[in-house]
Amino acid sequence: MTRQISAPRGTRDLLPEETPAWDRVEAVARDLSRRYAFERIDTPLFERVELFARGLGESSDAVEKEMFRVAGAKGSEEDAAPWALRPEPTAGIVRAYIEHGMHVRPGPLRLSLIGPMFRYDRPQAGRFRQFSQWDVEVIGDAGPAVDAELIELGQRFFAEVGLADVAAYVNSIGDATCRPAYREALIAYFAAHDGRLTEDSRRRLHVNPLRVLDDKELAPDVADGAPRGVDHLCDACREHFEALLALLDALGVRHEIDHRLVRGLDYYTRTAFEFYVAGREGQQQALGGGGRYDGLVELLGGRPTPGIGFGIGLDRTILAMEEQGVAPRTRPPLVAVLGPGDDHDRRLRVAASLREAGVAVRPDGSSRKLGKQLESASKAGARWAVILGDGDALALKDLASGNQRDAISIEEVAAAVSE
Ligand code: HAM
């Protein structure tokens, strides 16, 4: 036998029984994007490695360990300026914002994107090499009102897909004014606990001491004693953070401050947040996360412009929905069209008329006995069978109850199955 070829490690085929949940989650994301006045943007699935290296930071996991590099054709330009599949969308969206001079548009800009991201990480539960995000970005708004609005939007998304108990964790990691002193404080503290850091953290300590804080293997007592971001904020950052917390309270958005939340990408300033199913923070990765990136536009060559956004992982959202038993598994009622003998022209005509009326229809293409056709309609999950008889009369059988109405018109069928 010929050897079979499998899907690449860390990727998944979404089989038909899984796609109703995806349809639902994407529909909620699109509808919320509309209701919150975001405009759709799409950017390429691959970009220059340099964009990610500059934007997300050389020492971020996404760049240092997980770049999914793209090889061009032999002898192509990519040897000189390599590409990578996008590990996240924010850098690409900001690049597009600068490249197309979007700063001249009436701002702030509210942009959203749904699509696949790629990280060459070690695959495990809830961590894939290809995964999808719903991403929203607001460019040109310094907040803090928009910060609260986005956290409220994230919470609303989880509620509308049917997930219970999702909590938002928030922190402020300061800005160019106050971050340097906080970094020094962290370096001094962790250097004093050098022996208890993981090898990764020790290596990172001087490059990016904030990341040491969210090392999952950091001993709890060392983590608890670490200097806290909120104690090192300059006046402007503190006022921003306090205003955000007051707005979240006023909106009734469930949230908690997490002093260890620093996010894994280097572009963040001030507000940082993540969403978790409450009580599952330790065992489970975040369902989504985001924050403010007031320096990113300038870092990528644009004029200084504040920004904030989030990315919600759709794969993890659906896994959580499955765990909570709220992932939809069914499609709208399906009508099978059956008939005796070789009356395929009539079956197709009836099917076409019903489809015109908006009904999902699957005609039986066989010439088997009616009983057999009914059996396979049930097995295929059809909710109704339209059975062609003599002349124009149709019968409509409810495959769940077995009840049948005879001698009805196409309009009556369409009305009955759409109820
Ligand atoms: P992130 O925290 O790296 O942020 O990713 C956002 C979400 O994507 C995560 O919370 C998680 O649900 C999902 N995710 C990330 N990696 C994987 C993976 N390997 N497998 C499955 N799901 C994954 C960002 O990407 C930022 N761009 C968010 C943002 C937008 N910040 C500002 N604007």
Side-chain angles (χ1 to χ4, degrees):
M1 261 211 326
T2 318
R3 192 174 56 86
Q4 288 185 8
I5 299 171
S6 325
R9 235 161 73 77
T11 69
R12 293 176 312 150
D13 298 310
L14 294 180
L15 302 182
E17 58 274 22
E18 295 166 87
T19 47
W22 282 83
D23 287 344
R24 168 99 191 107
V25 162
E26 287 174 12
V28 170
R30 285 189 211 288
D31 188 49
L32 284 172
S33 296
R34 180 187 64 80
R35 281 148 64 197
Y36 281 69
F38 285 88
E39 295 182 285
R40 173 171 170 174
I41 186 165
D42 277 304
T43 62
L45 298 194
F46 61 97
E47 301 262 5
R48 294 276 177 233
V49 167
E50 189 196 350
L51 172 71
F52 302 122
R54 253 208 272 166
L56 322 187
E58 296 275 9
S59 71
S60 66
D61 283 345
V63 171
E64 194 184 59
K65 303 181 186 161
E66 300 164 6
M67 281 275 96
F68 212 128
R69 288 177 180 259
V70 178
K74 266 197 191 128
S76 64
E77 53 176 324
E78 72 80 31
D79 285 340
W83 298 311
L85 295 176
R86 63 182 182 194
E88 62 96 52
T90 312
I93 290 174
V94 169
R95 177 205 43 74
Y97 170 87
I98 298 166
E99 188 168 338
H100 301 286
M102 289 169 79
H103 62 276
V104 301
R105 300 182 185 210
L109 286 183
R110 298 163 77 95
L111 305 168
S112 91
L113 177 154
I114 298 176
M117 310 296 154
F118 305 84
R119 296 186 192 177
Y120 198 81
D121 200 356
R122 207 153 49 81
Q124 49 178 269
R127 194 188 295 163
F128 307 104
R129 286 182 173 165
Q130 176 178 335
F131 58 97
S132 287
Q133 279 186 8
W134 171 42
D135 178 85
V136 304
E137 309 291 349
V138 181
I139 304 179
D141 189 328
V146 71
D147 305 38
E149 191 188 359
L150 289 196
I151 295 170
E152 190 268 342
L153 168 58
Q155 287 287 49
R156 186 178 296 277
F157 168 80
F158 293 116
E160 293 200 2
V161 298
L163 276 178
D165 285 335
V166 177
Y169 294 83
V170 296
N171 196 15
S172 177
I173 54 173
D175 65 4
T177 308
C178 49
R179 180 97 55 85
Y182 182 46
R183 279 175 54 106
E184 290 312 315
L186 283 172
I187 292 174
Y189 174 80
F190 285 124
H193 295 81
D194 194 26
R196 303 192 56 199
L197 302 184
T198 60
E199 202 179 307
D200 247 7
S201 281
R202 233 174 289 138
R203 189 172 46 77
R204 268 206 189 122
L205 181 54
H206 291 273
V207 188
N208 193 345
L210 269 73
R211 292 303 312 284
V212 178
L213 261 185
D214 80 345
D215 184 338
K216 299 282 176 278
E217 284 162 46
L218 184 62
D221 60 312
V222 179
D224 289 344
R228 305 185 324 174
V230 294
D231 297 330
H232 291 78
L233 297 179
C234 57
D235 288 346
C237 285
R238 186 174 322 106
E239 274 165 34
H240 192 277
F241 191 52
E242 280 168 4
L244 166 62
L245 296 178
L247 285 162
L248 290 175
D249 284 336
L251 287 169
V253 174
R254 181 172 165 180
H255 66 279
E256 266 174 56
I257 299 179
D258 178 352
H259 298 291
R260 288 181 65 187
L261 198 167
V262 295
R263 308 281 298 135
L265 310 168
D266 290 1
Y267 52 58
Y268 290 109
T269 51
R270 293 190 168 173
T271 309
F273 55 94
E274 278 175 351
F275 299 100
Y276 285 89
V277 175
R280 303 290 305 273
E281 302 79 8
Q283 314 127 52
Q284 199 183 279
Q285 300 114 331
L287 295 178
R292 186 158 276 294
Y293 47 86
D294 293 343
L296 183 60
V297 179
E298 194 177 5
L299 185 70
L300 294 179
R303 45 188 88 189
T305 312
I308 182 167
F310 68 60
I312 287 179
L314 302 186
D315 307 72
R316 289 184 192 170
T317 299
I318 289 164
L319 286 173
M321 289 165 71
E322 283 166 357
E323 267 179 33
Q324 293 192 7
V326 296
R329 294 206 133 242
T330 50
R331 305 235 165 243
L334 177 71
V335 176
V337 176
L338 330 172
D342 282 321
D343 58 347
H344 295 293
D345 59 333
R346 278 188 63 216
R347 290 189 215 170
L348 291 178
R349 267 188 285 120
V350 168
S353 306
L354 286 170
R355 287 169 178 152
E356 221 163 298
V359 181
V361 182
R362 180 171 137 147
D364 189 309
S366 80
S367 304
R368 295 170 299 172
K369 293 214 171 77
L370 267 184
K372 288 278 175 215
Q373 292 185 39
L374 274 170
E375 216 176 276
S376 53
S378 290
K379 275 196 193 146
R383 172 84 175 74
W384 308 88
V386 171
I387 305 164
L388 276 54
D390 295 332
D392 285 335
L394 304 171
L396 178 65
K397 191 177 180 76
D398 181 330
L399 292 173
S401 67
N403 292 342
Q404 183 165 327
R405 281 170 68 189
D406 289 311
I408 63 173
S409 66
I410 284 190
E411 292 72 26
E412 286 169 317
V413 169
V417 303
S418 306
E419 265 168 16

